[in-house]
Amino acid sequence: MTLSDEELERYARHIVLPQVGGVGQRRLKAASVVVVGAGGIGSAVIPALAGAGVGRLTIIDDDVVELTNLHRQPLFREADAGAAKADLAAGFARSLNHFVEARPLRLRLGPDNARKLLQGHAIVIDGSDNFATRLAVSDACVGLGIPLLSAAAVQFQGQVGLFRSKPCYRCYVGDAFDADDCDTCAELGVLGALTATVGGFAALLGINALLGIGPDQSGQVHLFDGEKLVWRAIRIPADPACKGCGSA
Ligand SMILES: [Zn+2]
């Protein structure tokens, strides 16, 4: 995979970095990333990946834009109310960088279709807003052997974790959240700027993981306190009885 003169100019501030260089930029171009959820996290992740030149982006979201989204989802504008988020987010990615092949999927991801939707991607970035989806994504990633970058923000708390099969996201949260009616932003609230912070961190972690920059972050969850403004990292032990990865 080569880079055109236009791409060399566009990514010049990347390519000058010794950690990226032409090799890393071509690796980004060759990468295929799926973003689950075009909400608050997705609003930070999708522009960052498209701008960085990730070659193929699949964006999965079955939701439409509502007025209550606009305080934390700058992918969308007032005039977008009622329109499909996946389509708008993919259109944004393409308009930011025409070298990016952005594919919208207006679907709800669940245990029945997760594997089919996620297979073939280098990494899955999950910014969905409910545990049923998160666990379906995690189980599928374990089954497919695809790294999962899971990011969430609620109230003033954020978390970002990278999972490579074992331990998995289910080892971290347990099975209690398998129900469809768990807590979401709708009930608990979320500060708009928090999702940008957490989503931006997730995008950085994702790009570093794709390029092999820095120490491997898998098996760790980074927690952000939006009141104290501090990050801390915790290591997640693999649960031998985990339904997701226990027998993997
Ligand atoms: Zn597990």
Side-chain angles (χ1 to χ4, degrees):
M1 187 157 289
T2 57
L3 298 170
S4 65
D5 288 347
E6 187 185 346
E7 289 173 290
L8 290 171
E9 183 182 354
R10 168 183 276 267
Y11 305 124
R13 300 296 182 276
H14 259 180
I15 293 169
V16 76
L17 295 168
Q19 296 92 333
V20 181
V23 172
Q25 195 61 51
R26 288 195 296 276
R27 196 179 292 175
L28 290 175
K29 183 177 180 175
S32 178
V33 176
V34 55
V35 180
V36 183
I41 300 292
S43 278
V45 167
I46 292 163
L49 296 184
V54 169
R56 279 173 296 152
L57 281 178
T58 302
I59 298 164
I60 303 175
D61 197 305
D62 70 337
D63 214 356
V64 296
V65 177
E66 296 175 38
L67 194 58
T68 55
N69 301 145
L70 298 181
H71 85 299
R72 68 183 186 287
Q73 299 180 14
L75 276 178
F76 314 121
R77 298 154 203 274
E78 291 177 1
D80 295 329
K85 290 184 177 182
D87 293 343
L88 291 167
F92 181 96
R94 287 190 292 261
S95 67
L96 175 62
N97 188 347
H98 70 278
F99 291 105
V100 175
E101 191 185 304
R103 186 168 63 116
L105 295 179
R106 292 172 60 182
L107 296 165
R108 186 154 191 89
L109 185 149
D112 49 333
N113 63 0
R115 274 200 189 213
K116 185 163 168 275
L117 297 177
L118 302 180
Q119 69 185 2
H121 295 87
I123 190 168
V124 175
I125 302 183
D126 183 12
S128 63
D129 63 357
N130 66 88
F131 280 105
T133 301
R134 288 173 179 282
L135 289 167
V137 168
S138 175
D139 292 347
C141 285
V142 172
L144 293 165
I146 299 177
L148 166 62
L149 179 48
S150 183
V154 66
Q155 296 181 325
F156 281 80
Q157 306 296 320
Q159 60 182 44
V160 183
L162 178 65
F163 301 92
R164 293 187 197 270
S165 293
K166 200 181 190 121
C168 73
Y169 178 77
R170 192 182 276 280
C171 291
Y172 173 47
V173 300
D175 303 329
F177 297 107
D178 270 315
D180 218 352
D181 56 352
C182 285
D183 52 336
T184 65
C185 289
E187 291 105 46
L188 295 171
V190 58
L191 195 81
L194 176 74
T195 57
T197 304
V198 175
F201 187 101
L204 176 59
L205 205 163
I207 288 169
N208 281 358
L210 283 170
L211 297 181
I213 295 171
D216 181 21
Q217 297 290 328
S218 58
Q220 284 197 104
V221 172
H222 298 266
L223 302 169
F224 182 64
D225 183 323
E227 290 183 89
K228 293 179 183 156
L229 297 173
V230 288
W231 285 95
R232 68 190 176 93
I234 56 172
R235 187 155 287 285
I236 306 304
D239 175 3
C242 175
K243 269 166 55 181
C245 71
S247 57

